[in-house]
Amino acid sequence: MRYDYIYTHMTKKTDFIYSEYSEPHRIRTKKILKEHPEVRHLIGRNSNTIFAILGLVAFQVVMAWLVRDQAWWVIVGAAYLLGAFADHSLFVMIHECAHHLIFKNKKLNRWAGMLANMPQIFPSSVSFERYHIKHHSFQGIHELDADLPNRWEAKLINNSFLGKAIWLLFFPLFQVFRISRLKEIQNFDAWIVANVTVQVVFTAAIWYFFGGAAVGYLFLSFMFSVGLHPLGARWIQEHYLTHNEEQETYSYYGRLNTVSFNVGFHNEHHDFPSIPWNRLPKIKQTAPVYYDTLISHKSWTVLFFRFLFDKEISLFSRIVRKDRGKVPLKDQARPDAEIQVEKTTVVA
C-alpha cells in the first residue's frame, strides 16, 4: 500500500508533483508511427478553417449589434449562453493558427489568428502562439511552460471553493502574471504591436458604431469562454491530475467537441500537433489501443463542478519536471512530422 499517496491526498498540497521521466507524448508518437505509419497521412493543413473563423467573427459582430440596446441581464445572458461558445471556438481557431495548420505560409496563419482574436477584446493570438509552442516542447518545465500556474498562484488558490471560483473568473489575468516567469521567451516584437493595433482598431470601431454595451457583450463573452463557465473546465481537463498522479494529459470525448472543433482530443493533439482539428478523431480510430486505455473525461460540466468542490484537486495538482532533455529552445513542436521511425525487416 502506498502510504505516501494516501498521506498527500488527505492533506493540503504545498507543491507540485515532480516527475523524473520525460513527457509522455513523443514516446507515444514514435510507437504509434511505428505500428500505424498511415497516421502520417493525417498530417497537413485545413485551409477551410478560415471560413469557420470568418463565420464566428461575423456571429460575434452581429450579436454585439443585436444586444447594443438591451438590458444588462440580456447582455450577460447572451454572453454566457451564446457568446462564450463562439469565443471558445475562436480560441480553438487561434490554436490552429499557432500550429500553422491553416495555411502553409506562417505569416498568413498569424494574420488569421489575429482575425480570430478580434472579438475577444484582448490582444493574445501572437503571444499565445509563442508560449503555446513552448508548452508542447517543454511540457512540465516550470520556467518554459506557461500552462503551469505560478507557485504563488497555486499557493494562493490551492483547493478552496472560493479560491478556485475566483481563479476561473479571472483566469486570463492569472495567465498574464505568468509571463514574467518565462524569461527565456521573447514577449515583444513587431507582431505583438500588430496584434495590439488590430485589437484597438476593431474594439474602437465596435464602440463607435454600436456603443459601449456591445463592447461589454464582447468582453463578457471572452471572460466566460475561458473562465467561470463549464467551458472553463477545459483548462482543468487537459493537464490537471483529476484521477491519478501518473497520467498528466487527459482527453475529453463529450458532445461539446462538435461545437469546439474537437479541442477535447488533447492527448491526440499532443501526440500529433501537426494534424488539424478535423482529423484528430481519426488518430484515436486508427490507434485505439493507445487511447482507450487512458482515462478521459466525458463532461466538461461535471468536471467544472468537481473542480470547484473537490478539495483533493488544487492548482498544485500538476506534474512538473526539471529535465528539459535534448529539445532545443527554438523547437517548433512538430515531433510527428520530424520523427523518423526505423523500419523493421521481416525475414521469410
Side-chain angles (χ1 to χ4, degrees), residues 16-56:
F16 301 108
I17 297 168
Y18 289 84
S19 174
E20 296 179 358
Y21 301 99
S22 60
E23 58 87 15
H25 300 289
R26 290 175 186 253
I27 297 172
R28 189 157 59 230
T29 301
K30 191 169 185 177
K31 288 181 178 179
I32 292 175
L33 286 175
K34 186 174 183 178
E35 294 183 24
H36 301 278
E38 66 272 23
V39 172
R40 280 197 189 275
H41 297 302
L42 301 176
I43 295 173
R45 299 173 182 84
N46 181 3
S47 58
N48 289 327
T49 301
I50 191 64
F51 297 111
I53 292 175
L54 291 170
L56 289 164

Side-chain angles (χ1 to χ4, degrees), residues 24 33 63 98 113 147 154 190 204 206 217 223 262 330:
L33 286 175
M63 284 297 301
D147 193 66
I206 294 293
Y217 162 78
M223 294 301 290
N262 293 325
K330 293 183 179 180

Side-chain angles (χ1 to χ4, degrees), residues 121-141:
I121 302 295
F122 301 100
S124 60
S125 63
V126 175
S127 296
F128 175 79
E129 176 188 341
R130 205 151 292 170
Y131 292 106
H132 180 69
I133 296 302
K134 294 296 178 286
H135 163 63
H136 273 266
S137 300
F138 302 100
Q139 181 176 311
I141 305 297

Side-chain angles (χ1 to χ4, degrees), residues 147-204:
D147 193 66
L148 288 167
N150 287 315
R151 284 185 171 80
W152 66 260
E153 177 186 342
K155 186 176 181 179
L156 176 68
I157 304 303
N158 209 288
N159 64 350
S160 72
F161 167 82
L162 181 61
K164 287 187 279 191
I166 292 173
W167 182 74
L168 282 174
L169 182 62
F170 296 104
F171 185 72
L173 184 61
F174 282 105
Q175 284 192 309
V176 170
F177 288 141
R178 297 174 189 176
I179 294 176
S180 61
R181 182 183 86 222
L182 311 170
K183 302 182 188 301
E184 296 177 61
I185 304 174
Q186 182 184 11
N187 57 18
F188 185 81
D189 61 8
W191 282 106
I192 298 291
V193 174
N195 196 178
V196 172
T197 302
V198 169
Q199 289 302 116
V200 169
V201 171
F202 176 83
T203 305

Side-chain angles (χ1 to χ4, degrees), residues 20-276:
E20 296 179 358
Y21 301 99
S22 60
E23 58 87 15
H25 300 289
R26 290 175 186 253
I27 297 172
R28 189 157 59 230
T29 301
K30 191 169 185 177
K31 288 181 178 179
I32 292 175
L33 286 175
K34 186 174 183 178
E35 294 183 24
H36 301 278
E38 66 272 23
V39 172
R40 280 197 189 275
H41 297 302
L42 301 176
I43 295 173
R45 299 173 182 84
N46 181 3
S47 58
N48 289 327
T49 301
I50 191 64
F51 297 111
I53 292 175
L54 291 170
L56 289 164
V57 171
F59 176 85
Q60 283 297 74
V61 171
V62 170
M63 284 297 301
W65 178 77
L66 290 174
V67 303
R68 69 194 189 283
D69 296 321
Q70 298 297 319
W72 68 267
W73 58 270
V74 174
I75 295 173
V76 173
Y80 198 86
L81 297 174
L82 296 173
F85 288 92
D87 265 17
H88 190 261
S89 294
L90 282 169
F91 192 86
V92 180
M93 298 295 94
I94 291 171
H95 175 264
E96 292 292 294
C97 294
H99 284 281
H100 305 139
L101 295 176
I102 302 179
F103 303 114
K104 186 176 182 179
N105 186 296
K106 291 184 179 181
K107 292 182 179 179
L108 285 179
N109 282 289
R110 288 203 182 103
W111 285 113
M114 284 188 268
L115 173 64
N117 193 187
M118 289 194 309
Q120 298 179 332
I121 302 295
F122 301 100
S124 60
S125 63
V126 175
S127 296
F128 175 79
E129 176 188 341
R130 205 151 292 170
Y131 292 106
H132 180 69
I133 296 302
K134 294 296 178 286
H135 163 63
H136 273 266
S137 300
F138 302 100
Q139 181 176 311
I141 305 297
H142 203 253
E143 63 269 22
L144 288 172
D145 188 353
D147 193 66
L148 288 167
N150 287 315
R151 284 185 171 80
W152 66 260
E153 177 186 342
K155 186 176 181 179
L156 176 68
I157 304 303
N158 209 288
N159 64 350
S160 72
F161 167 82
L162 181 61
K164 287 187 279 191
I166 292 173
W167 182 74
L168 282 174
L169 182 62
F170 296 104
F171 185 72
L173 184 61
F174 282 105
Q175 284 192 309
V176 170
F177 288 141
R178 297 174 189 176
I179 294 176
S180 61
R181 182 183 86 222
L182 311 170
K183 302 182 188 301
E184 296 177 61
I185 304 174
Q186 182 184 11
N187 57 18
F188 185 81
D189 61 8
W191 282 106
I192 298 291
V193 174
N195 196 178
V196 172
T197 302
V198 169
Q199 289 302 116
V200 169
V201 171
F202 176 83
T203 305
I206 294 293
W207 191 295
Y208 180 79
F209 290 108
F210 298 166
V215 175
Y217 162 78
L218 294 177
F219 171 78
L220 289 173
S221 294
F222 171 74
M223 294 301 290
F224 289 143
S225 72
V226 295
L228 198 59
H229 188 288
L231 290 171
R234 173 189 157 195
W235 315 117
I236 312 306
Q237 163 241 307
E238 292 180 343
H239 295 290
Y240 278 83
L241 305 174
T242 53
H243 289 77
N244 61 52
E245 295 184 359
E246 296 177 356
Q247 183 178 320
E248 59 186 287
T249 304
Y250 297 82
S251 289
Y252 158 76
Y253 299 129
R255 293 180 179 178
L256 288 180
N257 272 317
T258 58
V259 294
S260 298
F261 297 88
N262 293 325
V263 73
F265 288 78
H266 203 60
N267 264 305
E268 293 83 347
H269 168 63
H270 264 272
D271 293 346
F272 295 92
S274 302
I275 294 178

